[in-house]
């Protein structure tokens, strides 16, 4: 089983839509979790940290289910500028981050 | 504030040549990471340092790859000899956390070096 599994997509959605991505991780010892965003040919950038059961930041909501070992990211009222690849990242002891392959999102006018 | 700085941004070389990639982490950050990204394999961790000491190099593909961090503000990743399959984008990232802390793992990435080996 891969350490992190994500649906690669692409998810093609119209502006204003709500879209959700799921991610499963295999290491039950993971303590911290992140969603990174990567634009085409650019570096990954932190979108959200998830330290407890979940948190919300504007249009973005991240949820964590430790029992089932999955993390989700919900984007409401999607914008054209949300088009990117979203990387699910569980953090392991020792400072290592294990990046998922990413889910591609394309928001259309 | 300056972010993570990498050089060169693009490198084209021929098979068999030595390639050296450079990274300057964010000042004050304790951890430094080297990643490689390809379409097929995604983002792979190659090696990471904490307080200039290599902590985990299990991701280094083979002996042709080596990394050093002589001081807190500089690191290099060297490939010798380079091969076409090394073509990828190489990212350096730094983090304010330490290896024993699981709660400060936010990493800040540099712009990457796009390496092409012909």
């Amino acid at each position: 089983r891969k350490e992190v599994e994500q649906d690669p997509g692409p998810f093609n959605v119209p502006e204003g839509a709500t879209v959700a991505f799921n991610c499963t991780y295999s290491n039950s010892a993971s303590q911290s979790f992140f969603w990174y965003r990567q634009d085409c040919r650019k570096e990954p950038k932190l979108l959200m940290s998830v330290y407890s059961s979940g948190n919300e930041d504007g249009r973005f909501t991240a949820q964590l289910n430790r029992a089932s070992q999955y993390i989700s990211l919900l984007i409401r009222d999607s914008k054209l500028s949300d088009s990117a690849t979203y990387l699910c990242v569980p953090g392991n002891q020792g400072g290592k981050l294990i990046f998922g392959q990413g889910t591609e999102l394309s928001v259309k006018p | 504030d300056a972010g993570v700085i990498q050089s060169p941004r693009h490198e084209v070389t021929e098979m068999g040549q030595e390639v050296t990639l450079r990274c300057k982490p964010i000042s004050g950050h304790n951890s430094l990471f080297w990643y490689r990204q390809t379409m097929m394999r995604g983002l792979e961790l190659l090696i990471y340092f904490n307080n200039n000491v290599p902590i985990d190099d299990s991701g280094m593909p083979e002996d042709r790859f080596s990394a050093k961090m002589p001081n807190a503000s500089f690191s290099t990743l060297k490939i010798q000899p380079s091969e076409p399959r090394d073509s990828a984008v190489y990212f350096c990232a730094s983090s304010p956390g330490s290896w024993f802390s699981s709660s400060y793992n936010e990493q800040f990435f540099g712009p990457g070096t796009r390496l092409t080996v012909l």
Side-chain angles (χ1 to χ4, degrees), chain B residues 33-113:
Chain B
F33 306 80
W34 282 101
Y35 292 90
R36 175 173 69 176
Q37 187 172 38
T38 61
M39 288 291 290
M40 290 297 294
R41 300 171 70 92
L43 198 60
E44 302 174 280
L45 177 65
L46 300 177
I47 184 171
Y48 77 100
F49 295 84
N50 182 252
N51 292 327
N52 313 338
V53 176
I55 300 299
D56 185 343
D57 64 355
S58 59
M60 296 286 263
E62 49 198 272
D63 292 345
R64 298 184 298 106
F65 285 70
S66 62
K68 293 182 179 179
M69 191 165 185
N71 57 61
S73 59
F74 184 65
S75 177
T76 59
L77 178 68
K78 185 177 292 187
I79 308 172
Q80 166 63 16
S82 57
E83 297 182 3
R85 60 192 168 120
D86 301 331
S87 297
V89 180
Y90 290 81
F91 289 106
C92 175
S94 69
S95 168
S98 296
W99 70 271
F100 51 83
S101 168
S102 63
S103 60
Y104 295 100
N105 287 347
E106 179 180 350
Q107 295 182 13
F108 298 82
F109 283 74
T113 294

Side-chain angles (χ1 to χ4, degrees), chain A residues 2-93:
Chain A
K2 286 184 180 179
E3 289 193 76
V4 184
E5 296 204 53
Q6 292 185 253
D7 181 343
F11 284 59
N12 296 304
V13 303
E15 269 187 294
T18 295
V19 61
F21 309 135
N22 289 326
C23 163
T24 58
Y25 61 95
S26 61
N27 188 345
S28 59
S30 294
Q31 295 295 315
S32 50
F33 304 86
F34 306 87
W35 282 99
Y36 276 71
R37 169 195 169 129
Q38 185 172 26
D39 293 293
C40 187
R41 302 176 77 85
K42 296 286 185 66
E43 71 273 23
K45 292 185 178 179
L46 181 67
L47 176 66
M48 294 183 74
S49 304
V50 189
Y51 289 107
S52 55
S53 61
N55 54 296
E56 185 174 319
D57 182 4
R59 298 182 294 108
F60 299 84
T61 300
Q63 290 193 315
L64 169 63
N65 184 319
R66 288 183 188 271
S68 301
Q69 295 182 209
Y70 83 77
I71 316 159
S72 64
L73 177 68
L74 182 76
I75 305 175
R76 290 180 297 277
D77 188 23
S78 52
K79 313 290 185 190
L80 295 176
S81 57
D82 294 334
S83 297
T85 296
Y86 291 84
L87 304 166
C88 169
V89 192
N92 295 335
Q93 190 71 30

